[in-house]
Amino acid sequence: MKPLAQWPVDSRRAIRGVFTDIDDTLTHDGHIAPEALQALGDLKAAGLTVIPITGRPIGWCEPFMAGTDGAAWPVDAMVAENGAVAFVPGAANSITSQIGLQRPPTMRNALSKRYQQSTEVRTANRLHMDAIAAQVCAEVQGMELSRDSTGRETDLAFDYAEFAQHAPETVQRVLALLQSHGMQTTVSSIHIHGCFGEFNKWTGACWIVRELLGRDLSADLDQWVFVGDSGNDQAMFQHFTHSAGVANITRFVPQLSHLPTYVTPSARGAGFAEVAQAILAAKDHD
């Protein structure tokens, strides 16, 4: 990984879109860093497409997209469950009441939820996953589903480092059990994930760019950057021409087969803000 300062200005100037992980890239202890939220807004204000992509469940994402717990995040879409499902915001509200009251500008219209799998496939998978989850929790001492699992629709997530602390060998045992059932697996900075389907952040990114923009991401990679921090970001690091890891990625480097091209000086949200500033500074010189 090269220092972010070595990212060429011409490459930064060409960036038109930003994908970013959420946990430990935008957030710390579950809360978005103020500088990261400001950076999202600055990128959007400059005309860039901004899409967070996460292993978190779609239900967990809804308050940030809808603005029910404050201002909606200034993003174009949010892809969840490692690429299987996404929220796309509705159009800006233009309907007024008869007495002239308007919906607050921080609130969006109803979100559009989009899936890569059909309802029938998701229903069948859910029954199978429930049985697998029960087996894992019975056979691996102390292992539990993640606390955000009630919002999950297309995958399983087990907590190994968010509220629980499990040894690497325990993580490997859970992965082996999931894989024995034919599940695809990934490991984030906090959770062990398993799903049925070829889902990862790269395939999810390609899908949402087709859905949202009608474009082929693989043909436009010189115009996009990805920012992340952990194992389930590897597919993005592998494919993106421009990628950056926030500084806290260093703890995962020994386990990663694919590293980002650049690494930021700062960790988590402050590191993301440094990537945003690098992009915006280059555009200021257009």
Side-chain angles (χ1 to χ4, degrees), residues 111-145:
L111 298 170
S112 171
K113 190 187 291 185
R114 305 187 188 184
Y115 299 91
Q116 291 210 57
Q117 292 174 324
S118 69
T119 301
E120 293 75 18
V121 169
R122 297 197 312 272
T123 299
N125 286 348
R126 183 76 263 166
L127 292 172
H128 195 181
M129 288 191 295
D130 288 346
I132 294 169
Q135 179 190 357
V136 170
C137 292
E139 295 187 11
V140 181
Q141 185 175 5
M143 185 58 61
E144 296 181 350
L145 287 167

Side-chain angles (χ1 to χ4, degrees), residues 57-254:
I58 193 69
W60 181 89
C61 296
E62 188 168 5
F64 310 124
M65 287 296 292
T68 53
D69 289 343
W73 286 14
V75 299
D76 294 275
M78 191 173 289
V79 184
E81 301 181 26
N82 286 313
V85 55
F87 273 130
V88 177
N93 186 31
S94 61
I95 300 174
T96 59
S97 73
Q98 291 183 350
I99 59 173
L101 296 177
Q102 294 185 343
R103 190 176 187 175
T106 55
M107 292 290 288
R108 288 184 169 137
N109 282 346
L111 298 170
S112 171
K113 190 187 291 185
R114 305 187 188 184
Y115 299 91
Q116 291 210 57
Q117 292 174 324
S118 69
T119 301
E120 293 75 18
V121 169
R122 297 197 312 272
T123 299
N125 286 348
R126 183 76 263 166
L127 292 172
H128 195 181
M129 288 191 295
D130 288 346
I132 294 169
Q135 179 190 357
V136 170
C137 292
E139 295 187 11
V140 181
Q141 185 175 5
M143 185 58 61
E144 296 181 350
L145 287 167
S146 63
R147 294 189 187 180
D148 63 13
S149 288
T150 54
R152 292 188 178 276
E153 299 187 28
T154 64
D155 74 344
L156 293 175
F158 298 89
D159 182 359
Y160 82 92
E162 185 176 23
F163 299 101
Q165 293 296 322
H166 288 286
E169 53 268 28
T170 303
V171 173
Q172 291 304 313
R173 187 178 177 197
V174 174
L175 289 171
L177 277 170
L178 298 177
Q179 291 163 6
S180 72
H181 288 279
M183 300 190 85
Q184 178 170 296
T185 58
T186 56
V187 180
S188 75
S189 59
I190 53 176
H191 294 158
I192 306 161
H193 296 271
C195 67
F196 291 109
E198 294 299 315
F199 298 125
N200 58 53
K201 289 187 178 181
W202 167 247
T203 59
C206 291
W207 165 66
I208 200 61
V209 168
R210 289 194 303 270
E211 287 277 308
L212 196 65
L213 305 175
R215 302 283 299 180
D216 178 359
L217 177 60
S218 62
D220 292 339
L221 279 176
D222 60 330
Q223 300 176 35
W224 289 84
V225 64
F226 171 71
V227 189
D229 80 298
S230 66
N232 68 335
D233 296 325
Q234 285 194 92
M236 300 291 264
F237 296 146
Q238 178 183 1
H239 288 94
F240 270 69
T241 304
H242 307 295
S243 62
V246 289
N248 44 293
I249 195 174
T250 54
R251 61 183 172 144
F252 291 109
V253 165

Side-chain angles (χ1 to χ4, degrees), residues 246-263:
V246 289
N248 44 293
I249 195 174
T250 54
R251 61 183 172 144
F252 291 109
V253 165
Q255 290 85 48
L256 299 181
S257 300
H258 302 282
L259 295 172
T261 307
Y262 304 102
V263 63

